Amino acid sequence: MSNILIKNTRIFYNNRLQPAEVLIDNGKISKIAKDIRISHVDREIDADNALTLPAGIDAHVHFREPGQTRKEDWCTGSCSAAAGGITTVIDHPNTAPPTIDEKSFNKKLHLASKKSIVDFGINGGVTNNFDELSRLWELGATAFGEIFMAESTGELNISEESFNQALSEIKELEAVACIHAEDENIRLKNKSLLKNDMSPQSHSRARPNICESTAVQKAVDMISSFDTQSHFCHISTSEALGIIRNQKYKAYKENRKSNITCESAPHHLFLSDKSWDNLGSFGKMNPPLRTRKSVQALVNAINEGTVDMVASDHAPHREFEKDMDIKNAPSGVPGVETLLPLMLAGVKKNLFPLGKVIDVTSKNPAKRFGLENNYKGLFKEGFDADLILVNPQDMREISSDFLHSKAGWTPYSGLYGIFPQLTISRGDIIWDGEVTATRGRGNFLKGQGYLMDTE
């Protein structure tokens, strides 16, 4: 592989921006210094004072393949990721077929290996397939879930009894359970009460804050019984944050590491229930849009460390699928390409410190899901050269016209993001204003339970 020298750039080091040069050799970060002297370099990049930052890791995407390629596939999804500065994704199981056994896992792995331009992990699904979990772990699953505590896209929700057993099995494997926490009883009751309310806002009322917080509390109680490593997906309410914060504080007081982490999603950070008037059924997702009070609580929770990472929950549907009444429109919005640009624009708007954005979009997801073992997540010599070059002054209005998902639309239209000028994955430039990578260059990042004899 060729080596690359990035000159005239700034990096975030020791909690501040400072001038530096970055040498990439054989796909790795070889050297970071103020002045790098080298006799030969295959390519020199003059960054013109742009920032060189760690590329993003999106720990929650639904690339829809196999089975739903009209919505997205591994090529279009990964190209969208690259254009937004994401070089690693973790795909969740609710495809068709769902990723719940060896055959379905290998099918998804084969398709991703042929098509993805970014590196990827694959989560194993959890239904009542308890006999399959150990095999999925041996095949290299990154984690397990989303485990759906309530009905959502893909209809993979399970009973409380099955959820309890799943936590026990996942504990034995020393894996991580990724949990979609909404209470099914509350959802069903509200669905009945609101069956004649066709306003878009009814979706938020059908899955109110208590729907999430009740499920989080139930899950926390079960997690405590087994001490299972657990991760809550797309937490969206102040009440749920309070429960998670208390659990983390309890672990701190007991001088132990908390077994619970959580993520928030950009649609819960940059949209609110005030967005229903503009988005209509295009704003439907689970958990639903929340009040501005919850939005502010999430921003605060990121900055004070209760929220460990931000992940897109990229769940694309085509426009014609979303353009129907609120009851029948599918849940989910695209977001992998806008995740990092929105967060970087949040730095510009003083919502988040730059160091915190790097933590929640790169360092923390790598640490939580074992990707550090694959040399991901750290801007450090010896780690993969997964980098972006960005000009923090280059705020761009988000429009579906230049995005790459098959969805063909975005809920963030009219908001602003800071998009990368270059995206580098393992030393390869995969985005420079257009996709420059070949299909299938993405590597499968084997999970921590992987056994060599599975190949």
Side-chain angles (χ1 to χ4, degrees):
M1 295 180 68
S2 61
N3 62 354
I4 299 173
L5 179 62
I6 303 173
K7 298 178 67 70
N8 193 21
T9 190
R10 290 177 293 156
I11 64 171
F12 189 78
Y13 184 73
N14 282 344
N15 210 35
R16 65 186 179 91
L17 288 171
Q18 48 188 298
E21 296 182 353
V22 181
L23 180 64
I24 299 168
D25 195 9
N26 199 31
K28 304 287 186 183
I29 299 170
S30 176
K31 191 171 185 181
I32 305 167
K34 286 191 175 181
D35 184 22
I36 296 176
R37 304 294 176 92
I38 185 171
S39 59
H40 170 77
V41 64
D42 296 302
R43 179 166 183 175
E44 186 174 295
I45 297 172
D46 184 346
D48 194 23
N49 208 37
L51 309 184
T52 297
L53 302 174
I57 296 172
D58 191 343
H60 190 161
V61 303
H62 302 273
F63 277 175
R64 302 302 194 201
E65 190 172 20
Q68 299 173 318
T69 53
R70 70 182 183 279
K71 301 173 187 284
E72 196 76 280
D73 61 49
W74 274 95
C75 181
T76 57
S78 63
C79 287
S80 191
I86 303 293
T87 57
T88 299
V89 298
I90 301 174
D91 191 70
H92 283 234
N94 58 338
T95 42
T99 317
I100 57 174
D101 55 24
E102 182 170 357
K103 182 179 179 180
S104 56
F105 187 94
N106 284 334
K107 182 175 184 178
K108 180 177 284 188
L109 174 57
H110 173 72
L111 291 165
S113 298
K114 283 178 59 178
K115 294 185 177 183
S116 183
I117 72 167
V118 302
D119 296 342
F120 60 91
I122 297 174
N123 275 7
V126 178
T127 53
N128 290 311
N129 60 331
F130 306 117
D131 293 341
E132 303 287 344
L133 299 186
S134 62
R135 184 57 181 156
L136 288 167
W137 191 231
E138 292 170 353
L139 290 166
T142 307
F144 290 95
E146 292 173 70
I147 305 173
F148 291 91
M149 298 177 71
E151 183 274 329
S152 192
T153 305
E155 299 181 349
L156 294 182
N157 52 298
I158 60 176
S159 67
E160 288 186 20
E161 181 181 359
S162 295
F163 180 65
N164 199 59
Q165 185 173 347
L167 290 176
S168 175
E169 298 286 343
I170 293 167
K171 164 63 179 177
E172 289 300 311
L173 295 172
E174 298 183 352
V176 178
C178 297
I179 301 164
H180 180 127
E182 292 184 284
D183 187 81
E184 181 68 351
N185 291 331
I186 293 174
R187 186 194 74 82
L188 288 172
K189 179 180 178 181
N190 288 332
K191 179 182 179 181
S192 177
L193 291 171
L194 295 165
K195 63 182 178 181
N196 295 320
D197 186 346
M198 301 303 291
S199 66
Q201 292 84 349
S202 68
H203 188 64
S204 288
R205 293 194 289 270
R207 297 170 183 254
N209 289 26
I210 195 172
C211 186
E212 179 176 88
S213 61
T214 298
V216 168
Q217 187 61 65
K218 285 181 180 178
V220 163
D221 292 341
M222 295 185 200
I223 290 163
S224 298
S225 299
F226 300 107
D227 194 27
T228 308
Q229 291 296 319
S230 301
H231 175 75
F232 285 102
C233 300
H234 42 53
I235 290 298
S236 64
T237 65
S238 56
E239 294 88 344
L241 287 170
I243 296 167
I244 293 168
R245 185 181 293 110
N246 286 342
Q247 290 299 306
K248 289 188 171 189
Y249 182 70
K250 182 179 178 182
Y252 170 77
K253 292 292 286 184
E254 295 173 357
N255 198 30
R256 60 179 175 83
K257 187 177 179 181
S258 176
N259 58 358
I260 290 174
T261 55
C262 73
E263 73 192 43
S264 63
H267 43 263
H268 293 130
L269 289 167
F270 300 102
L271 304 174
S272 75
D273 61 356
K274 301 295 183 184
S275 306
W276 280 120
D277 290 341
N278 178 48
L279 292 174
S281 60
F282 287 82
K284 185 180 179 183
M285 79 282 290
N286 301 325
L289 295 171
R290 301 297 189 191
T291 65
R292 288 177 176 172
K293 180 180 178 181
S294 285
V295 171
Q296 187 58 56
L298 287 171
V299 170
N300 294 342
I302 288 171
N303 288 330
E304 53 108 52
T306 298
V307 171
D308 301 271
M309 64 191 81
V310 179
S312 72
D313 191 13
H314 177 77
H317 303 280
R318 301 296 292 273
E319 284 186 271
F320 72 88
E321 296 173 302
K322 293 288 281 189
D323 191 14
M324 58 179 62
D325 68 80
I326 195 66
K327 305 296 190 208
N328 290 304
S331 296
V333 298
V336 67
E337 191 167 343
T338 46
L339 161 63
L340 197 49
L342 283 166
M343 292 300 292
L344 291 172
V347 175
K348 186 78 171 175
K349 297 172 185 175
N350 294 317
L351 291 176
F352 315 107
L354 178 58
K356 180 60 69 173
V357 169
I358 292 170
D359 286 349
V360 299
T361 60
S362 184
K363 178 182 176 181
N364 292 351
K367 186 174 183 180
R368 183 45 160 157
F369 295 111
L371 301 179
E372 285 182 341
N373 298 332
N374 293 284
Y375 301 100
K376 300 294 184 186
L378 292 180
F379 183 50
K380 181 178 178 182
E381 292 174 3
F383 273 66
D384 282 357
D386 294 343
L387 304 169
I388 58 171
L389 267 66
V390 293
N391 178 357
Q393 307 305 319
D394 187 15
M395 293 272 282
R396 184 177 187 184
E397 185 175 353
I398 297 172
S399 167
S400 59
D401 293 342
F402 64 79
L403 300 179
H404 295 77
S405 170
K406 275 189 183 180
W409 63 279
T410 172
Y412 307 109
S413 182
L415 300 184
Y416 284 80
I418 297 175
F419 288 81
Q421 299 172 329
L422 285 181
T423 302
I424 301 172
S425 169
R426 285 182 284 108
D428 295 335
I429 296 173
I430 62 173
W431 169 260
D432 64 359
E434 61 181 29
V435 175
T436 58
T438 56
R439 290 160 56 108
R441 69 158 299 279
N443 283 345
F444 172 46
L445 305 177
K446 303 174 181 70
Q448 296 178 83
Y450 177 77
L451 292 181
M452 290 293 291
D453 63 3
T454 58
E455 291 188 335

